[in-house]
Amino acid sequence: MDSSPPAESDSQVMGKDGMAALVDVLLRRGFTVVGPTVRDGAIVLAELCSADELPYGWGVELEAGRYRLRERVDGAAFANAAGPQSWKSFLHPPRVREWSADRVKGELVLTADDAAPPRYAFLGVRPCDLRAIAIQDQVMTGGLYHDPVYEGRRSGALLIVVECTEPGATCFCVSMGTGPASGPGYDLVMTEVADEDGHRFWVRSGSREGAEILAELPARSADQETREAARAGVTAAADRMGRIMPEADLRELMAGTLDAPRWDDVAGRCLTCGNCTMVCPTCFCTTTEDVTDLTGDHAERWRLWDSCFDLDFSHLHGGPVRASSRSRYRQWMTHKLGTWYDQFGSSGCVGCGRCIVWCPVGIDITEEAAALHDWTRSGPPTPHEAAP
């Protein structure tokens, strides 16, 4: 895909009718369209049959351990921060059947579960989640071995990014260099503007297919006022981040604080429930489970999401390697912010803030990183100071 930014002379402006047409064009081209919609008191990602299902007029209030919908007066569709799901749920699904086996006339017959995946069009990808997809690309397909499930779903996916103009109180994408403006890798990118001049979307293409789709929409050449309003909205969002990471080399910070007393403090609060790993758009750990029917003639192997917070995740002969909640939280955070660089060449955190919102006790990764940073600046106690 050619993801270089298009010339601004090629950018377009469309209204709500253009958004409706976009979904219709995608469906007509055979895509399964997935985007945000309001369901069960949250803005979730689900299959869309119409643009009318987008969360027009809904925003969210976020804090550590708190998520609430709120109505908006401007009718914006994408002026809301990340919800409980990410696109990982569709590219790296929570449950995948890998194969089934049947006993037929005394013989064992194995059948691979290799059904063709749907071709997705992801509508409303946030810049932080666009970066998360790029990170998962590296994890799942960037090495010697490729994950066939992920690769099959990812290879045909169309990415339509919406730049962020309404960050949440737990967002820190600026600290991680992942937003609120979009990086490369999209097919289409749009910025929503809802002001006294009307409700509209500034749209640019980033691939040949994106340009073809844009050409089918009821749109006009972008005017200077809309471009400026869109840029101003994104710039303002960058200045309104609800959280920040400490200005430090996070990789070095994690490596240098393995014995910090702060890990005991967070362990006293952490429930090791694994919510942070489930909502994280880049966590990728899995386990396998074999099941049979009551006759014993049919068996299946399933791949399931797993979490490094699970006591049995590091189980070896004799017991788990990481038996304490302290060691398990430290493993997750040091991997996410530190040793991910050693494996994949980047941070594993994109600053979406989901782990903060969906932690039932409100543990904040930015607060923990800041506490570790403060500890390094004050200096670990000398042996004399630490003596009883």
Side-chain angles (χ1 to χ4, degrees):
M1 180 197 308
D2 175 14
S3 58
S4 57
E8 291 214 346
S9 59
D10 297 331
S11 64
Q12 303 285 306
V13 172
M14 67 183 191
K16 287 182 65 175
D17 61 331
M19 186 62 66
L22 173 60
V23 175
D24 291 341
V25 167
L26 294 172
L27 293 172
R28 191 165 62 246
R29 283 174 169 250
F31 286 101
T32 296
V33 181
V34 178
T37 190
V38 174
R39 186 174 297 172
D40 299 327
I43 295 177
V44 301
L45 301 177
E47 185 174 343
L48 303 179
C49 297
S50 163
D52 292 339
E53 298 176 79
L54 292 169
Y56 286 109
W58 288 101
V60 294
E61 294 178 357
L62 306 178
E63 249 310 331
R66 177 181 170 82
Y67 178 101
R68 294 290 186 276
L69 285 179
R70 65 177 179 86
E71 291 192 60
R72 298 181 59 90
V73 298
D74 59 8
F78 299 103
N80 42 73
Q85 299 162 289
S86 70
W87 309 95
K88 177 180 76 173
S89 300
F90 300 91
L91 296 175
H92 178 48
R95 288 176 53 87
V96 173
R97 187 172 62 185
E98 296 190 324
W99 51 257
S100 59
D102 294 281
R103 184 181 288 116
V104 181
K105 297 180 180 179
E107 298 289 334
L108 186 64
V109 179
L110 292 174
T111 305
D113 200 336
D114 54 2
R119 190 179 182 210
Y120 287 117
F122 293 155
L123 173 58
V125 179
R126 296 298 182 183
C128 60
D129 279 343
L130 179 66
R131 177 59 185 155
I133 292 172
I135 290 172
Q136 289 241 300
D137 287 349
Q138 176 66 19
V139 172
M140 300 294 189
T141 65
L144 181 61
Y145 302 103
H146 291 195
D147 179 79
V149 174
Y150 183 91
E151 192 168 44
R153 290 167 173 255
R154 177 70 177 92
S155 61
L158 188 88
L159 304 184
I160 304 172
V161 174
V162 176
E163 294 187 304
C164 183
T165 58
E166 190 75 17
T170 57
C171 294
F172 55 101
C173 65
V174 169
S175 294
M176 308 311 295
T178 61
S182 177
Y186 55 81
D187 294 283
L188 288 171
V189 62
M190 62 182 72
T191 313
E192 186 174 25
V193 178
D195 57 20
E196 62 276 5
D197 293 326
H199 190 177
R200 57 210 188 276
F201 302 87
W202 179 35
V203 192
R204 294 86 77 198
S205 63
S207 70
R208 178 178 299 177
E209 187 168 26
E212 292 173 354
I213 292 171
L214 182 55
E216 296 186 48
L217 304 180
R220 56 180 171 81
S221 294
D223 57 276
Q224 185 68 19
E225 291 76 12
T226 297
R227 290 199 299 266
E228 290 179 355
R231 290 196 203 96
V234 174
T235 300
D239 295 331
R240 300 202 316 274
M241 291 288 113
R243 297 290 199 275
I244 58 171
M245 274 288 182
E247 294 184 4
D249 185 320
L250 296 177
R251 184 184 184 187
E252 291 187 3
L253 178 64
M254 293 297 104
T257 55
L258 297 178
D259 295 322
R262 183 70 182 190
W263 299 117
D264 294 316
D265 179 88
V266 70
R269 293 173 280 136
C270 178
L271 305 178
T272 67
C273 64
N275 266 18
C276 51
T277 61
M278 298 296 105
V279 298
C280 177
T282 64
C283 279
F284 58 87
C285 292
T286 59
T287 187
T288 56
E289 180 180 88
D290 294 335
V291 297
T292 65
D293 66 4
L294 292 177
T295 68
D297 291 331
H298 179 81
E300 297 178 350
R301 171 162 290 180
W302 288 80
R303 186 179 74 184
L304 314 172
W305 281 358
D306 202 356
S307 172
C308 55
F309 282 91
D310 189 337
L311 183 62
D312 289 333
F313 184 80
S314 65
H315 185 89
L316 297 176
H317 180 68
V321 173
R322 293 184 287 271
S324 68
S325 57
R326 178 186 192 274
S327 64
R328 297 204 292 279
Y329 187 89
R330 186 180 66 179
Q331 156 63 21
W332 174 73
M333 185 170 169
T334 56
H335 184 213
K336 189 66 57 179
L337 299 181
T339 55
W340 203 290
Y341 283 96
D342 302 314
Q343 286 184 283
F344 308 114
S346 74
S347 172
C349 177
V350 297
C352 68
R354 289 183 176 93
C355 62
I356 304 171
V357 174
W358 300 100
C359 174
V361 294
I363 295 173
D364 182 339
I365 191 173
T366 64
E367 180 183 328
E368 300 310 315
L372 293 171
H373 184 47
D374 290 343
W375 182 75
T376 61
R377 289 189 297 176
S378 61
T382 64
H384 174 73
E385 292 171 333

